[in-house]
Amino acid sequence: DAKTTQPPSMDCAEGRAANLPCNHSTISGNEYVYWYRQIHSQGPQYIIHGLKNNETNEMASLIITEDRKSSTLILPHATLRDTAVYYCIVRVNFGNEKLTFGTGTRLTIIP
Amino acid sequence: NAGVTQTPKFQVLKTGQSMTLQCAQDMNHEYMSWYRQDPGMGLRLIHYSVGAGITDQGEVPNGYNVSRSTTEDFPLRLLSAAPSQTSVYFCASSYRAGRAYGYTFGSGTRLTVV
């Protein structure tokens, strides 16, 4: 599985868009980008995933660069409940049974 | 629809004791797994199962046993608890083995071994 790099922490004002970057320069052609988040003391929560096209769901948008070496998770209107650790994971969508969680980005939403 | 239910939420064990952490899901998910999370660290996979009767080791399996006799349940057994097993344990399930999206995690079991 490809390795990812995320900033350890970020702040965002409530109501603004939160843009969380992830670098995955060694990503392979069949590897997807997945985002999960972990709100304090709870189990991780799936947010979104994508291969090469931009994706949007009710929680967030995922922008993947054309060369696929990096991506950005966008929370369009951040609320205090979005304060969490956000994990960017890169792996194939078959076979390998492990989700590798690194240390992620601790996002703090400021009132 | 309860999702993934873990019991107990908190547990204190003495060194050498054994216990079973329970995990149940009501979503008819094929894949179930156990992770541990130590302070300030990411999650590490202990054991996983791709269906009833099938289990396999993750990256940190030593000291733990699992079985999967039904689709719904995936208990984690600590054979002889050690202080190094003090951690938060999360159970997760997914509709289809091999898919990395749509995992549902339980709320965790906080275990302290003294």
Side-chain angles (χ1 to χ4, degrees), chain B residues 7-89:
Chain B
T7 56
K9 293 191 183 304
F10 301 94
Q11 183 71 49
V12 178
L13 286 180
K14 293 183 179 179
T15 298
Q17 285 185 316
S18 63
M19 79 160 295
T20 299
L21 279 62
Q22 302 291 344
C23 175
Q25 52 92 6
D26 61 358
M27 300 171 285
N28 199 33
H29 280 180
E30 178 178 274
Y31 176 82
M32 296 186 74
S33 58
W34 278 100
Y35 286 83
R36 61 177 286 175
Q37 185 172 33
D38 299 322
M41 297 181 64
L43 282 76
R44 292 184 292 168
L45 181 65
I46 305 172
H47 285 285
Y48 64 92
S49 168
V50 299
I54 306 169
T55 64
D56 207 345
Q57 297 181 350
E59 57 184 312
V60 288
N62 291 341
Y64 308 96
N65 271 358
V66 292
S67 60
R68 183 109 178 259
S69 56
T70 67
T71 299
E72 295 78 20
D73 300 298
F74 190 45
L76 178 72
R77 283 182 287 277
L78 278 70
L79 309 173
S80 177
S84 61
Q85 293 179 304
T86 293
S87 189
V88 181
Y89 291 84

Side-chain angles (χ1 to χ4, degrees), chain A residues 34 36 38 40-46 49 87 91-103, chain B residues 31 35 37 40-43 45 48 50 59 90 97-108 110:
Chain A
Y34 304 86
Y36 281 76
Q38 187 172 24
H40 179 62
S41 299
Q42 299 179 21
Q45 176 189 25
Y46 165 76
H49 75 284
Y87 298 97
R91 55 155 278 188
V92 295
N93 202 29
F94 60 87
N96 186 336
E97 307 299 351
K98 184 173 66 173
L99 273 184
T100 300
F101 291 84
T103 51
Chain B
Y31 176 82
Y35 286 83
Q37 185 172 33
M41 297 181 64
L43 282 76
L45 181 65
Y48 64 92
V50 299
E59 57 184 312
F90 291 102
R99 298 288 187 265
Y101 61 88
Y103 274 43
T104 300
F105 282 79
S107 57
R110 283 146 187 81

